[in-house]
Amino acid sequence: MKHHDREALLRQIQEVEFATLELNLYLDTHPTDNNALIQYNQLSNQLLMLKQQYDMCYGPLLNFGFSPSQYPFRWIEGPWPWERQY
Amino acid sequence: MWIYEKKLQHPVRIEKCDLRMAKYLYTQYGGPDGELSAAIRYLNQRYTIPTKEAKALLTDIGTEELAHVEMIATMIYQLTEGASVEELEAAGLGSNYAIRERALFPADANGVPWTAAYIQAHADPVADLHEDMAAEQKARTVYENLLDLTDDPGMKDALRFLREREVVHFQRFGEALRIVQEYKESKKIF
């Protein structure tokens, strides 16, 4: 997979997760807004699928068992978010 | 428990090397109104906040602030990574180099180390949430100062994103404060 494909998928994850984070904060103070909650659950499913796709193609996105890994353990592979190649 | 995601909350694309800006950015890393102060403030206040809405909000915003610490640190790291000693010195980062080479350190733009004296906790939810709202406004104005100091598009994009988050957090803390005040009113014990 090419570098820009990884970047594009990552960007998509960042966008969807930004929406779920924003809805999460909103729902913290508006827990009975059902429309927001429906949107939150829909985006949460979408986010899960995107993350699974990322894990399979580019290695684990999350640590501690939240992302499976191929052999050898791919979690230790860069680029890390602070590195320029990221 | 926290889980790490191997990604930034928002992309950081630094297009030109600007060490002067790296020094200024330190204020949002380990300065009084910086992201580290914010994360520790909220994650520490949540234990004694009484309402369920505010417990969730302090946990979630505190967690988001940790992602902002990472964005600021990434910007500083990338700006200083390839710089020569002479360049670091010329940008006022010579004293940092003397102490720790190119290592990052939670300090403000003048090198003053981060201290817990920047934050407070009172267990009084009205006092705590007012502090949190003030902190978001102070961080917003610092981001506006930083935006005045750079014309790099990548830098501006990241700073604008972080500035906007302060505005959203202020709004949410204001709502949590209203809920806390209603809760206190319903209990009527002082």
Side-chain angles (χ1 to χ4, degrees):
Chain A
M1 285 280 185
K2 283 181 236 111
H3 176 66
H4 69 263
D5 294 335
R6 189 183 73 87
E7 219 178 86
L9 181 57
L10 200 54
R11 186 69 219 233
Q12 225 184 324
I13 291 171
Q14 282 168 325
E15 284 173 4
V16 177
E17 192 172 319
F18 178 72
T20 54
L21 184 153
E22 187 72 318
L23 281 161
N24 191 153
L25 299 188
Y26 172 81
L27 283 161
D28 284 348
T29 52
H30 304 79
T32 57
D33 186 333
N34 200 32
N35 286 332
L37 186 59
I38 289 166
Q39 215 185 343
Y40 177 80
N41 286 329
Q42 281 169 349
L43 286 164
S44 167
N45 282 327
Q46 201 183 326
L47 182 61
L48 187 67
M49 285 190 291
L50 288 169
K51 283 183 172 177
Q52 282 171 347
Q53 195 186 333
Y54 187 97
D55 288 337
M56 277 194 306
C57 298
Y58 309 109
L61 186 64
L62 282 80
N63 57 0
F64 300 162
F66 286 85
S67 297
S69 174
Q70 289 154 331
Y71 178 89
F73 194 40
R74 287 183 75 185
W75 174 251
I76 65 167
E77 300 300 328
W80 290 85
W82 56 89
E83 291 169 341
R84 280 186 193 277
Q85 322 83 280
Y86 164 83
Chain B
M1 181 72 194
W2 272 266
I3 309 301
Y4 184 69
E5 280 187 65
K6 206 192 241 177
K7 70 173 195 26
L8 296 175
Q9 188 192 3
H10 181 85
V12 166
R13 294 271 171 272
I14 304 296
E15 280 149 49
K16 71 166 192 243
C17 184
D18 182 351
L19 288 169
R20 184 191 53 102
M21 209 50 209
K23 181 174 157 69
Y24 298 153
L25 280 174
Y26 259 106
T27 192
Q28 286 309 80
Y29 189 41
D33 308 314
E35 301 292 355
L36 184 65
S37 298
I40 305 297
R41 176 184 298 110
Y42 307 148
L43 293 175
N44 177 69
Q45 283 179 354
R46 67 187 179 139
Y47 300 97
T48 48
I49 207 96
T51 64
K52 58 188 180 182
E53 291 85 357
K55 283 175 202 183
L57 195 65
L58 286 171
T59 301
D60 295 335
I61 295 181
T63 301
E64 185 184 354
E65 304 292 6
L66 290 172
H68 298 171
V69 172
E70 186 181 35
M71 280 180 67
I72 293 288
T74 296
M75 287 191 256
I76 297 171
Y77 171 72
Q78 290 190 4
L79 286 168
T80 51
E81 194 192 1
S84 70
V85 179
E86 292 73 22
E87 287 168 337
L88 289 166
E89 256 196 293
L93 288 164
S95 49
N96 186 74
Y97 184 87
I99 303 168
R100 57 187 73 91
E101 216 241 41
R102 286 177 186 76
L104 270 67
F105 191 70
D108 74 7
N110 294 317
V112 179
W114 186 82
T115 164
Y118 292 153
I119 64 164
Q120 256 303 1
H122 290 95
D124 178 327
V126 174
D128 282 351
L129 287 167
H130 273 103
E131 180 190 338
D132 303 343
M133 291 169 75
E136 296 294 336
Q137 288 300 332
K138 289 188 280 181
R140 174 192 54 77
T141 197
V142 171
Y143 279 119
E144 287 167 10
N145 299 341
L146 289 168
L147 279 159
D148 290 339
L149 290 162
T150 181
D151 52 13
D152 180 78
M155 183 79 75
K156 274 194 177 295
D157 174 73
L159 292 173
R160 282 199 192 103
F161 173 83
L162 292 166
R163 179 200 168 275
E164 189 60 32
R165 299 312 296 150
E166 311 299 338
V167 177
V168 172
H169 293 170
F170 174 80
Q171 169 74 23
R172 298 282 96 90
F173 279 133
E175 292 157 359
L177 176 64
R178 179 182 47 77
I179 296 166
V180 154
Q181 279 163 336
E182 285 165 8
Y183 166 82
K184 283 183 69 127
E185 193 60 31
S186 74
K187 290 195 50 164
K188 289 203 190 298
I189 36 168
F190 292 97

